[in-house]
Amino acid sequence: MKILLLGSGELGKEFTIAAQRIGQTVIAVDSYENAPAMQVAHGFEVINMLDGDALDKIVAKHQPDFIVPEIEAIRTERFYDYEKQGITVVPSAKAANFTMNRKAIRDLAAKELGLRTANYRYATTAQELHEGVEAVGMPCVVKPLMSSSGKGQSTIKTIAEIDKAWQYAVEGSRGDVVEVIVEAFVKFNSEITLLTVVQNNNPTLFCAPIGHRQERGDYQESWQPAKISDKDLYEAQDMAEKVTEALGGAGLFGVEFFLADDGVYFSELSPRPHDTGMVTLAGTQNFNEFELHLRAILSLPIFEITLEKAGASAVIAASENSENPSYSGLNKIASLPKTDFRIFGKPTSRPYRRMGVALVNDTLDTPIEEVVEKTKEAAKLVTVHP
């Protein structure tokens, strides 16, 4: 089968490696050359994926069996036409359209499915953001409708911060949608990602919940399994199954939840492998999230997902701008027991850009806090140089 991968970052690279292992052909697409997935794919294209005509041309050129989006900034309304041509859009054209825009997925979850979410409003101007903040109260969180990895996200605690938050959100937005969502701050105890695997002809499966910590809206560490009560886990699984069923298609979804005193809150959903799910590269499961996504796409039956080890991932980030980054400390991290790492091969760096991850695993009876701490210390051994 031929897969057209739209977006070629580190998640796309691991997906491509998984596809290569079982004989699939991958054409990697991104807006710049030598993106991580391009380094391991059969071929590549460099285009602006918000240019619908350019997107149409490469689809016509390669005639893929599957189109697999990895990022948000794509002219996703074209996906409906590709489905009519007989191409499988992953997970579906509807899923890709709804989840590339926070407005569509939030309204589906809250208004159509009745899932518990934070109180929210939308704004297309700074004045509307002022009105939205007044409606939901402070503190609150502002996010662009189209963004990823925390870009454009900020917390408002005072009226004086509203205009700055608006400008930051507009600057951090992907695509051509100038609109933000403002959410009431949920007083949560923790947050989890529930990797949900929807199969074409077999039951929906769930990975063990993944905990994570964020800074600037981007994850810094993730760990599996996360601590969660049976009641909250059942509620999260029920919500995840409802929203993925409404979106249709097959594949792995990263569904995010807040765990609060009054129950579980639906937060966000990605119709593809999730950055916090890179912890599965530590060997925590019988299949990592990229292998699960691929098998679900290809309708290869997944009998079960088993938790094999406790594990954690920690981000290796750049601190400076560089056109040719290099790395030191790899010999140090490689010498640690039960430890691994990935360097993504990004051709340039900038402050806070995720350039790699450290990975540690241990037995299931090892306190997860210990595993996380070891992973954080391991990540500190690697330095990204300009």
Side-chain angles (χ1 to χ4, degrees), residues 51-169:
D51 182 338
D53 291 339
L55 200 58
D56 288 346
K57 286 178 182 177
I58 63 164
V59 170
K61 174 182 176 180
H62 292 285
Q63 292 292 301
D65 300 290
F66 298 91
I67 292 175
V68 178
E70 191 232 17
I71 63 170
E72 290 79 9
I74 304 171
R75 189 61 64 193
T76 54
E77 64 270 18
R78 301 287 178 121
F79 289 173
Y80 292 106
D81 290 333
Y82 303 152
E83 280 191 339
K84 291 176 183 176
Q85 295 171 27
I87 301 169
T88 299
V89 177
V90 176
S92 67
K94 179 180 179 181
N97 262 282
F98 274 52
T99 53
M100 292 301 178
N101 186 311
R102 287 189 170 99
K103 188 172 190 175
I105 189 63
R106 179 56 62 88
D107 286 350
L108 172 68
K111 295 179 179 179
E112 292 187 37
L113 300 177
L115 306 187
R116 183 191 291 116
T117 71
N119 188 14
Y120 65 96
R121 295 291 189 277
Y122 301 116
T124 57
T125 64
Q127 178 56 39
E128 287 182 2
L129 181 57
H130 277 267
E131 295 167 2
V133 171
E134 184 176 356
V136 305
M138 292 184 284
C140 57
V141 179
V142 176
K143 305 173 187 176
L145 289 188
M146 288 183 65
S147 71
S148 65
S149 299
K151 293 180 178 65
Q153 179 175 322
S154 60
T155 300
I156 293 175
K157 298 179 180 178
T158 67
I159 293 175
E161 295 172 326
I162 297 177
D163 289 334
K164 182 179 178 182
W166 166 257
Q167 194 60 40
Y168 183 62

